[in-house]
Amino acid sequence: MSRQILTEKLLAFFFENKVALMFSIICLAAFFVSGMSTSLFFGELATRFGRNSFLVLSLLIPVIAGLGLNFGMVLGAMAAQISIFLIIVWGGIGTFGVFAAATVATPIAVLFGYLVGKMFNSMKGSEMIGGMVTGFFADGFYQFLFLFVFGGLIPIANERLMTSTGVGVLNAVDLDGNYMRQALDNVPMLNILDVAFWAVLIFTVATVIFKLIKKQPLEMFGSKGLIKLLVVLIPLALAYLLSFIFMPFHYFLYQDRLVGWMAVDIALIGMALYWVYRLVREKFIEKQPGVPFKPVAYLVLVIILYLLTLHPEIYAGLNHVQIPVLTYLLIVGLCFLIKWFMNTRLGQNMRTVGQNRAVATAAGINVDRTRIIAMILSTLLAAYGQIIVLQNFGVMITYGSHLNIALYAIAALLVGGATVSRASVKHALTGVILFHALFILAPIAGTQLMGSALIGEYFRMFVAYAIIAVALIMHAWQRTKSNKAKSATA
Amino acid sequence: MTISKREAPSFLQVAQKTLSDFGLPRIIIMSTFILLLVLSWVNGMNVPSLFGDVLRRWGMFGILVLAMVPGIRCGIGPNFGVTVGITGGLLGAVLSVEMRYIGMFDFIAHNPTLFGLTGAFVAIIIGVSVATVMGILYGMLLNKVKGSEMAVSVYVGFSVVNLFNMVWFLIPLTASILLFPAGGQGLRLLFNLRDDFGGVLNNLGQFRIYFGEHNSMNVPTGLLVVFFICCICMWLFTKSRLGMMMTAAGSNPEYARASGINVEKMRILGTTISTALGALGIIVYAQSFGFIQLYNAPQWMGFLLVAAVLIGGASIRRARVFDVLLGTFMLQGILTIALPLINVMLPDVPALPEILRLIITNGIILYALSKAKGG
């Protein structure tokens, strides 16, 4: 009996993840054909993961809110590029400059997101084609801004940025001159720990003071108990203290990159702890009957993954990987933020709007407003994502950096197994890994198979477009089928 | 500037009447066209010669834009995926060049015009056949995705273009004009049609009209005649029984089905005609251009064509042959005149025509999408 359930669950798992599994097989085949070394491959993959994940995650909210794949994310990227340009003109430097760019990008992206959301409300059902066209339409104004307004209408005297005539911005803007190249990637862990500790401390103290002033009860446990803050604060405080008294730890924190195997170990330990906690909770606190399938499966997976890292080839590969700590923390943070947001009231409203607009209206949700908020959030996150991309590259291609981001981000999300109406953090992260693995391997595999890197390049572009085409077709097909079923029953 | 002011009121008076079904964006675009004409005249440019260029590009793009009409009328909306047909046409052209190279048309080599026309004819036969097959499959696909045809057709078009990138790269042809010179692999990005059918229609009965000593206008008679014949055929088709049935299936599928029309078949018919016209159109385009561009060149063409027919007065659900004539003339007129004019007036901003193209084409598509609410 239990064996039958297990088979069913496994089958369901394979069916659920068919796209991702198919791409895993393609990537594995391409990897063995290419003969690429693990150290090179893992290093490149880690760089691309850190660079692109934020952008892909920015696509999730509109999918959940029923707006489909946000092809209008290009506008967020434009907001990012406008603000980076302005920051360079104003002389912002280094990490401060990057954060300043994010600050300047915020109002611009919110405005763009509002306008796009407003427009999408007038073309419900054709948001995706509308988003595509909006991207190109906005690109016209973007080019006008950078080719004519900057330098032409607003005089900007900066030889590093402007063309020789003084009108229009150069094709490539170098971020290195303002020390903004990899300025986020290069923040040492020590600084991150400092900021995190003081921020959490101030937040905790403020919460306590607020509760005292409002005369609310200060309870330790429960849904709004202080324990939740202390669970974060105490380890941070211990680490902060340790960084002062234990010098090897201090020197370790001076680094801004983690070696790959160390990061993998930390992630695996984290995962193992979480699933052990879930196991204990389900089995001993909630006392559910039977074997808890999910925690056990994940714990087995963790053990398998750990054993895999002991393989000499993979270990050598991981040894060459340098993970930029702050960028990865931002990505992980965004994952948790999105998960948290979807459980808030607004997030739940978005889910309802995404599932059925009529039901949402009947439930008293302002559908148009919710959709606009979803677009604003997505555009804003896309802007931050593009800032992460640009600081990692170190060069901004003024008229090109934003053009293909929607294509690659959307293709990556779909490769992870998302659809036009269903997407999660898991889809986004798996998708980034698989899609970019293919991106790295296809030209090399093409060289090995056909004697030319170009064929691999054409192949990967074809895959990017085709996966989007197939996803759109599947979505529309299912919709017409369910419409037919509905009209048949009615 | 005084001249443009004198022009404006009379133009607006005419526009006011048709504003309701014509829309503000189209009026803006038409005013832009007239403004550009006036400006180029004021700046002392060779207006007749420019006008000749506009005529040439009108005929060059005309058939491609005409491909939008059956698509919109049969109910699939603006056919962004006309690139499927264009790719088929390119395949026909490439094979025709290869056949000329291996000497299959040599029997007629004594007459260059006939030689060129044969090449074009063979290209059209192959291209249209390939496009018809692809069009039927594409139409069947679009029947499965009712309501999302536009987004699907954009990405199906992109996918086909990128699939053919691999075909162009791997196809085993021998004509040296097609292949990358030593060191490369696959077909060239761009090749000359000088030895094939380049300009063969344009030069057929071409004449010049002189305005004074230096100003002259070139009229590509053959090209325009072919374009007009296609337009008349399309117009006759829309008036025929089959064409009426197709229009009915597109404008009101429920009613059409109730009166015994096979809506699915009609949609496939419209899509196939649209795709086949794309193949024919690109060959006519290429002979006028004198070159063929392979690989990613046709990727964005769908947007330009959709915009042209929308500017002419079409909507997502309704299109006439007249919209094609007017819209193509307007859009190509603006793009043709803007380039030299901006070079004279604003030499610092050479990219302005490109910006104009982006804003006009995508702006009109957005406008049409927002008007199609509930459709």
Side-chain angles (χ1 to χ4, degrees), chain A residues 254-273:
Chain A
Y254 257 134
Q255 294 173 305
D256 49 28
R257 308 288 155 116
L258 271 183
V259 182
W261 61 261
M262 205 182 271
V264 170
D265 283 359
I266 292 174
L268 288 180
I269 290 170
M271 259 174 87
L273 283 177

Side-chain angles (χ1 to χ4, degrees), chain A residues 71 119 121-126 128-134 136-137 139-141 143-145 147-148 165 167 406-407 450-452 454-455 458-459 461-462 464-469 472-480 484, chain B residues 80 141 143-148 150-152 154-156 158-160 162-163 165-166 169-170 180 185 189 264 295-296 299-300 303 346 348-349 351-352 354-355 358-367 369-371 373-374:
Chain A
F71 286 91
M119 201 177 60
N121 278 340
S122 73
M123 44 175 87
K124 288 187 186 120
S126 14
M128 281 187 277
I129 178 82
M132 263 173 242
V133 180
T134 310
F136 305 133
F137 183 62
D139 192 38
F141 288 101
Q143 287 190 20
F144 186 72
L145 181 70
L147 282 169
F148 185 66
T165 57
V167 180
L407 168 69
M450 306 261 193
S452 164
L454 218 51
I455 188 77
Y458 290 138
F459 177 70
M461 283 310 283
F462 168 65
Y465 283 115
I467 184 92
I468 298 180
L472 293 175
I473 291 168
M474 294 310 289
H475 176 66
W477 199 333
Q478 270 159 13
R479 205 168 60 175
T480 41
K484 259 186 201 155
Chain B
F80 289 94
L141 174 71
N143 273 343
K144 303 277 183 210
V145 297
K146 279 182 195 157
S148 324
M150 279 183 282
V152 169
V154 169
Y155 270 86
V156 167
F158 286 176
S159 304
V160 169
N162 280 277
L163 181 69
N165 278 349
M166 287 190 270
F169 194 74
L170 298 173
F180 257 114
Q185 193 185 344
L189 293 172
E264 269 65 34
Y295 298 94
N296 286 326
Q299 188 162 338
W300 301 104
F303 285 79
L346 292 164
D348 280 348
V349 201
L352 215 51
E354 170 68 8
I355 294 173
L358 277 173
I359 293 178
I360 288 179
T361 57
N362 296 301
I364 191 79
I365 297 174
L366 274 185
Y367 172 75
L369 282 175
S370 67
K371 281 285 155 195
K373 183 157 65 168

Side-chain angles (χ1 to χ4, degrees), chain A residues 190-261:
Chain A
L190 201 58
N191 296 7
I192 304 173
L193 183 64
D194 280 1
V195 172
F197 169 69
W198 286 109
V200 175
L201 184 67
I202 290 168
F203 184 74
T204 313
V205 171
T207 313
V208 171
I209 291 174
F210 178 80
K211 287 197 170 180
L212 286 179
I213 291 172
K214 287 267 173 179
K215 302 225 164 87
Q216 285 172 352
L218 265 181
E219 38 182 41
M220 207 56 189
F221 299 95
S223 65
K224 283 186 178 171
L226 281 175
I227 188 80
K228 285 199 169 169
L229 283 171
L230 291 181
V231 163
V232 183
L233 182 63
I234 291 170
L236 272 178
L238 287 178
Y240 187 64
L241 265 181
L242 198 64
S243 73
F244 281 103
I245 45 182
F246 186 53
M247 276 302 131
F249 186 57
H250 185 87
Y251 292 125
F252 168 74
L253 288 180
Y254 257 134
Q255 294 173 305
D256 49 28
R257 308 288 155 116
L258 271 183
V259 182
W261 61 261

Side-chain angles (χ1 to χ4, degrees), chain A residues 114 135 159 197 216 240-243 246 251 267-268 295 328 340 366 370 381 384-385 390 397 427 452:
Chain A
Y114 175 76
E159 281 175 9
F197 169 69
Q216 285 172 352
Y240 187 64
L241 265 181
L242 198 64
S243 73
F246 186 53
Y251 292 125
L268 288 180
Y328 270 64
W340 168 81
N366 187 339
T370 313
L381 290 177
Y384 295 158
L390 292 177
I397 309 298
H427 293 141
S452 164

Side-chain angles (χ1 to χ4, degrees), chain A residues 13 15-21 49 53 56-57 59-60 63-64 69 298 335 339 409-435:
Chain A
F13 173 81
F15 187 71
E16 186 89 329
N17 299 296
K18 53 187 181 301
V19 184
L21 286 171
F49 184 84
S53 297
V56 179
L57 287 166
L59 288 166
L60 293 180
V63 171
I64 293 166
L69 303 162
Y298 270 99
C335 292
K339 286 209 153 177
I410 288 170
L413 183 66
L414 295 172
V415 166
T419 66
V420 174
S421 54
R422 205 172 58 92
S424 69
V425 170
K426 197 178 69 186
H427 293 141
L429 298 184
T430 335
V432 176
I433 293 174
L434 289 176
F435 183 72

Side-chain angles (χ1 to χ4, degrees), chain B residues 148-210:
Chain B
S148 324
E149 290 97 341
M150 279 183 282
V152 169
S153 68
V154 169
Y155 270 86
V156 167
F158 286 176
S159 304
V160 169
V161 167
N162 280 277
L163 181 69
F164 266 78
N165 278 349
M166 287 190 270
V167 173
W168 306 136
F169 194 74
L170 298 173
I171 193 168
L173 295 182
T174 53
S176 56
I177 193 168
L178 290 174
L179 299 175
F180 257 114
Q185 193 185 344
L187 304 188
R188 292 181 195 218
L189 293 172
L190 178 131
F191 60 88
N192 203 321
L193 288 176
R194 190 182 50 232
D195 301 334
D196 292 276
F197 49 87
V200 65
L201 288 179
N202 286 38
N203 300 337
L204 212 64
Q206 176 172 252
F207 62 90
R208 262 175 194 285
I209 305 172
Y210 285 89

